[in-house]
């Protein structure tokens, strides 16, 4: 549950901490504005991926399904700065598929929290396995981290790539190769 009062107090302290005048015109409404924004960017904490993945459709095929280039925005839990990029999801159905928009919704549920990219990748793969029971799932995320590009080593455009394999993707490297081929890599 987002506690607006606590966030507003904290933002005021933070502004004072960097030497700002919290009463000046431009900052007057900033604490409240940030509290409202947090409702949205951390809204995933109160959501369950199961609500999006519960509605499945029966299929005969067990051909690989790929949803690529799912844009997402998340927040790094080490620096509270954004990291953002694309998620690519593949799964091999075992009699059940979900509507394609549900995969993007699942990414959102986990992205709208404080995160680490490795953890985000794994949580999406685990949610697919738990709620859809496919034969296997693979999630790949390519992201740029503001904590690497606007501070520290400053390497704009550098991408961090993470991969999570579950089920048959762990056993059969040919499936992963097919995924990369279909992705055009
Ligand atoms: Zn960071």
């Amino acid at each position: 549950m987002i506690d607006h009062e606590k966030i507003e107090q904290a933002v005021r302290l933070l502004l004072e901490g960097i030497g700002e005048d919290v009463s000046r015109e431009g900052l007057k409404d900033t604490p409240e504005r940030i509290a409202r924004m947090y409702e949205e960017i951390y809204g995933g904490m109160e959501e369950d991926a199961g609500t999006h993945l519960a509605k499945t459709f029966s299929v005969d095929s067990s051909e690989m399904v790929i949803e690529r280039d799912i844009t997402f925005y998340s927040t790094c839990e080490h620096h509270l700065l954004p990291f953002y990029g694309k998620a690519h999801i593949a799964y091999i159905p075992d009699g059940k598929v979900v509507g394609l928009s549900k995969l993007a919704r699942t990414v959102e549920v986990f992205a709208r929290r404080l995160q680490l990219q490795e953890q985000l990748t794994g949580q999406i793969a685990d949610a697919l396995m738990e709620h859809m029971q496919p034969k296997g799932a693979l999630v790949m995320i390519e992201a740029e981290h503001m904590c690497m590009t606007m501070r520290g080593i400053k390497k704009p455009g550098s991408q961090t790539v993470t991969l999570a394999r579950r089920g048959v993707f762990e056993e059969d490297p040919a499936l992963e190769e097919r995924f990369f081929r279909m992705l055009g890599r």
Side-chain angles (χ1 to χ4, degrees), residues 8-95:
E8 288 178 34
Q9 279 173 10
V11 172
R12 264 181 231 112
L13 276 176
L14 204 99
L15 291 170
E16 283 170 11
I18 61 171
E20 268 292 355
D21 170 8
V22 291
S23 63
R24 71 178 175 84
E25 183 63 30
L27 294 178
K28 209 165 35 74
D29 300 326
T30 297
E32 191 204 332
R33 211 178 278 123
I34 289 183
R36 265 187 279 119
M37 178 180 73
Y38 280 3
E39 287 278 359
E40 184 178 341
I41 69 175
Y42 298 133
M45 290 175 69
E46 283 156 47
E47 271 193 82
D48 178 0
T51 54
H52 300 299
L53 295 173
K55 196 161 181 279
T56 56
F57 306 94
S58 298
V59 285
D60 289 331
S61 150
S62 54
E63 284 297 320
M64 191 185 304
V65 177
I66 296 185
E67 180 74 4
R68 59 179 291 175
D69 296 325
I70 302 168
T71 302
F72 76 91
Y73 296 88
S74 190
T75 309
C76 150
E77 68 182 29
H78 291 157
H79 301 92
L80 304 190
L81 283 174
F83 70 97
Y84 52 91
K86 308 242 188 244
H88 315 290
I89 296 178
Y91 67 95
I92 314 263
D94 190 10

